[in-house]
Amino acid sequence: MTTVNAEGSFSRNVADLVARVTYRRIETEEDRRAVYRLRYDCYLREGAIAENETGLFEDDLDHTSNVSIFGLYLDGQLASSIRVHVATPEQPIAPALGVFGDILGARIAAGETIVDPTRFVVDHEFSRLHPGLPYATVRMGMLASEHADADYALATVRTEHRAFYRRLLFMEPVGEARYYPNLKNPINLMGVSFPLMRQSVYKRYPFMASTWEEQERLFGPRRNQGKMAVAGAAAAA
């Protein structure tokens, strides 16, 4: 009972934070540079990248046709960021495909839609003040998966972060860790069938739920209008 109560209290705290946060799609050059600076600071602090003269961390995948970059703002300040690629047979572009293409390529070729969130960073001071901020940030992957009617959701993470994704999103490791471009440490592929996972996540963590209105505000009109309108409907039942 204590564990259930603690988890419920945690979920409510994150839900309160989600209500406070402003989710913004990053589109202006000024906002992009702020995100790239935050990435640089976070990755450098973790020892994942080497120093550079620009103090920014970006790559070519920040500019593909199927990418969305998001910032989460608290009290008007950038607190965290995440990048999301939606890979389809029409646009088979995603960071994970460049490293784990032998595993994921067959899914794309079979017609699946894969959501690949990367460059997940949280400001050090904000994370200390708001422990739920990483969860509010990862939530963007759920919104993207709902919006895209994803078949497969994945994460490419360091070994020590696998437990976070297993606990939160029921993901499991796929294959062995591999080295990722521009990063010093090997990365693990974690994945899960989104249609099978989604309601379990909403039941355990209701703050992950979203509406069509929120999804379309952040991602634009959806391709397939024929599916359920509210992502978290079953969680509330």
Side-chain angles (χ1 to χ4, degrees):
M1 181 64 70
T2 300
T3 301
V4 173
N5 289 341
E7 192 165 85
S9 177
F10 165 78
S11 188
R12 287 191 295 273
N13 288 339
V14 178
D16 290 342
L17 181 61
V18 167
R20 282 189 56 196
V21 164
T22 298
Y23 289 86
R24 183 193 303 174
R25 185 166 181 156
I26 300 302
E27 296 179 318
T28 70
E29 186 60 28
E30 180 182 359
D31 285 345
R32 279 181 175 270
R33 289 181 67 83
V35 165
Y36 299 156
R37 281 194 296 271
L38 176 60
R39 283 186 195 167
Y40 178 82
D41 292 343
C42 292
Y43 277 84
L44 190 64
R45 178 184 289 274
E46 289 189 349
I49 61 172
E51 292 186 41
N52 67 48
E53 295 180 354
T54 68
L56 306 175
F57 186 37
E58 65 174 306
D59 59 46
D60 292 343
L61 288 163
D62 287 312
H63 306 282
T64 64
S65 58
N66 64 333
V67 70
S68 300
I69 302 174
F70 297 96
L72 277 67
Y73 293 79
L74 276 166
D75 302 322
Q77 298 184 61
L78 178 63
S80 66
S81 178
I82 195 166
R83 178 178 74 182
V84 180
H85 283 82
V86 178
T88 64
E90 296 77 28
Q91 292 185 304
I93 304 168
L97 283 167
V99 181
F100 298 97
D102 57 320
I103 298 173
L104 299 172
R107 290 184 173 274
I108 296 291
E112 290 192 9
T113 295
I114 294 178
V115 169
D116 183 10
T118 54
R119 299 296 187 250
F120 165 32
V121 291
V122 181
D123 177 87
H124 180 67
E125 285 303 312
F126 274 114
S127 68
R128 185 177 60 82
L129 294 172
H130 304 284
L133 190 55
Y135 298 85
T137 309
V138 169
R139 179 175 176 266
M140 287 305 307
M142 292 294 290
L143 269 75
S145 297
E146 287 288 355
H147 181 267
D149 298 324
D151 298 290
Y152 197 65
L154 59 84
T156 47
V157 304
R158 287 164 52 178
T159 300
E160 60 268 32
H161 295 158
R162 290 187 302 182
F164 173 85
Y165 288 90
R166 181 182 285 115
R167 181 178 65 253
L168 182 64
L169 299 174
F170 302 93
M171 290 183 172
E172 293 295 335
V174 182
E176 299 296 323
R178 300 178 183 180
Y179 279 92
Y180 203 86
N182 303 320
L183 299 180
K184 293 181 178 180
N185 303 307
I187 296 297
N188 297 264
L189 176 65
M190 305 282 289
V192 67
S193 166
F194 183 70
L196 296 180
M197 164 270 273
R198 57 195 291 274
Q199 297 304 339
S200 296
V201 171
Y202 296 141
K203 183 176 181 180
R204 181 179 292 181
Y205 302 112
F207 62 82
M208 286 289 195
S210 58
T211 63
W212 268 21
E213 180 182 14
E214 183 182 18
Q215 294 162 29
E216 294 194 343
R217 176 175 60 82
L218 292 166
F219 288 95
R222 56 185 17 84
R223 292 181 304 163
N224 188 346
Q225 296 288 344
K227 299 221 175 173
M228 285 290 293
V230 180

